[in-house]
Amino acid sequence: MDSRTSDDGATIRRRRQCPNCSRRFSTSETASLSVLKRSGVSEPFSRTKVISGVRKACQGRPVSDDELALLAQRVEETIRASGQAEVDAHQVGLSILQPLQELDLVAYLRFASVYQDFDSLEDFESEIARLRAESASARA
């Protein structure tokens, strides 16, 4: 009878009518989103797991729980916008990098160093040089 999308766009509320008894009822529908791990196991996407992974990189940094929750929401929205029901865990990590860079550069470097497997000082130096170049071009 009627369909409406929720404010966050993740849920559709439908008003329906039973064809047998004509009673009306509402349903709430959400699209499931799964993450395919390296081991081949598939598990449901979890904002909580995103937050806990990023929280480690933010340890000792001036980043609030609310900011982490917003970051996790942005990551989920980015992944859902791809239109895929199942995404690779690597794609989730890539989706975290940009919002984290905007949130806190030190936390970004910590997360990127683990996620992108930095194994030398040169890896850090090249990433810092890239960040400085971006910052300089943004100011110009």
Side-chain angles (χ1 to χ4, degrees):
M1 296 185 68
D2 181 39
S3 295
R4 295 183 186 177
T5 306
S6 67
D7 292 335
D8 65 0
T11 306
I12 297 175
R13 183 177 180 267
R14 297 191 192 277
R15 190 77 180 136
R16 301 177 183 264
Q17 184 171 353
C18 176
N20 296 329
C21 69
S22 297
R23 291 187 76 180
R24 294 182 180 183
F25 59 96
S26 294
T27 61
S28 234
E29 301 171 8
T30 57
S32 64
L33 182 60
S34 298
V35 177
L36 183 62
K37 309 289 269 184
R38 279 188 231 155
S39 64
V41 175
S42 183
E43 63 181 43
F45 176 85
S46 168
R47 285 186 189 182
T48 306
K49 287 188 85 169
V50 170
I51 291 170
S52 69
V54 174
R55 181 172 279 131
K56 292 172 191 166
C58 293
Q59 223 168 12
R61 302 297 304 155
V63 177
S64 70
D65 288 342
D66 289 341
E67 290 171 316
L68 289 177
L70 285 173
L71 181 140
Q73 180 180 346
R74 283 183 63 190
V75 169
E76 183 175 3
E77 288 170 357
T78 299
I79 293 170
R80 284 191 185 279
S82 73
Q84 299 174 331
E86 185 172 73
V87 294
D88 190 67
H90 183 72
Q91 186 62 41
V92 175
L94 290 177
S95 299
I96 291 171
L97 290 173
Q98 185 60 41
L100 185 55
Q101 181 179 335
E102 295 167 11
L103 182 62
D104 187 277
L105 289 175
V106 173
Y108 164 80
L109 276 173
R110 289 174 178 171
F111 186 86
S113 70
V114 173
Y115 186 74
Q116 295 177 336
D117 202 25
F118 288 8
D119 58 1
S120 69
L121 289 175
E122 289 77 22
D123 292 336
F124 280 96
E125 288 171 343
S126 65
E127 189 64 18
I128 290 170
R130 185 189 68 76
L131 292 170
R132 283 187 175 143
E134 277 184 17
S135 177
S137 67
R139 280 186 260 149

